[in-house]
Each structure stands twice: as C-alpha cells, then as structure tokens.
Amino acid sequence: MANEIVCTYTGDTCVSMSKDGVKDTLHTEHNDKHEHMTPGEMLVAALGACTLTMMSVVAQKYGHNMDGTKIALSSVFGPNAGGLEEVHLHITFPQGTNEEMRKRYLGVVNLCPVHKSLNPAIKFSVDAE
C-alpha cells in the first residue's frame, strides 16, 4: 500500500504527522504534485492521531509512558474518487512496552471517534511490533 503516513505521539496529548518524512499542511488533491498531504491523506492521518490519543488515555490510566509510540498508516482509495476502501495500521511501541500494556492499547484501536465515523465497509487491518 502506498502513501504511508506516520503519526507520532510526542507527549502531553500531542501528535505530529508526516508523509515521507515531511510535515505538511492540507491542500486539495486536484493536480496534486505530492508536495502536500491531500484531504484523504489527512483523513487517514486523523485516524492515526485519534487512535494515539485514545491509547494515551489508557497510558495515563495505568501510569505508563507511551512517548514515541508510532502508527504508520497505509491506505487504498477507490478509482475515480471512489472513496477510502482500505486502511492498514502498523503500530510500533517503544522498547520496554510489556505485553499487558500492548493488549490494552490494541483494545482501544477501533474506539476513537474518527474510526467510528468512517464507513463500516472500509476494510481495516492492524499489526504491531
């Protein structure tokens, strides 16, 4: 899947987003020269940021530091403005994150408001390391 977007939790409920290592602003997709994130890519980035925020609530509840946790998101959009069809989330936890906390974090992946707002026909997959 192309167009990987990386969202990184940087602490204090803040998330930075980048595509191909470049932080960017929202621009329309019309005649996109891949210099800026498109609205569709921002939607996918919003899903990553929202998911990290939900995970941060779990971290705060259990007194765990999840700074540096990353979600790399890959998406597939349908042809002819067909909309978002697939999203793959690859979660990378900081070294030292135990199995119990990983399970807790993965348990809230589908609970963020952005995920709940997306079309249920969209295929989601998640893996973690």
Side-chain angles (χ1 to χ4, degrees):
M1 290 183 223
N3 294 324
E4 182 174 85
I5 298 170
V6 177
C7 299
T8 304
Y9 187 77
T10 58
D12 198 29
T13 66
C14 294
V15 176
S16 69
M17 295 171 275
S18 65
K19 177 180 116 178
D20 299 328
V22 178
K23 293 180 183 176
D24 215 320
T25 56
L26 177 64
H27 289 269
T28 64
E29 191 166 318
H30 183 68
N31 292 325
D32 181 39
K33 297 176 183 170
H34 302 288
E35 296 171 346
H36 305 284
M37 285 193 182
T38 65
E41 291 167 337
M42 288 298 289
L43 173 65
V44 174
L47 174 65
C50 190
T51 301
L52 284 167
T53 302
M54 294 298 295
M55 292 167 73
S56 77
V57 171
V58 172
Q60 290 170 3
K61 178 179 178 180
Y62 291 94
H64 187 258
N65 181 347
M66 63 170 270
D67 292 4
T69 299
K70 293 182 183 182
I71 301 180
L73 300 104
S74 301
S75 56
V76 175
F77 285 84
N80 303 318
L84 186 59
E85 294 181 349
E86 294 180 41
V87 179
H88 175 74
L89 294 85
H90 177 79
I91 303 170
T92 304
F93 295 109
Q95 211 170 7
T97 303
N98 65 43
E99 192 60 34
E100 184 178 329
M101 286 307 299
R102 288 172 184 259
K103 287 179 183 177
R104 287 179 176 142
Y105 292 142
L106 292 172
V108 299
V109 166
N110 298 329
L111 299 180
C112 84
V114 173
H115 187 277
K116 289 180 177 183
S117 299
L118 295 173
N119 187 325
I122 297 170
K123 297 175 188 170
F124 289 94
S125 62
V126 178
D127 67 68
E129 63 179 85

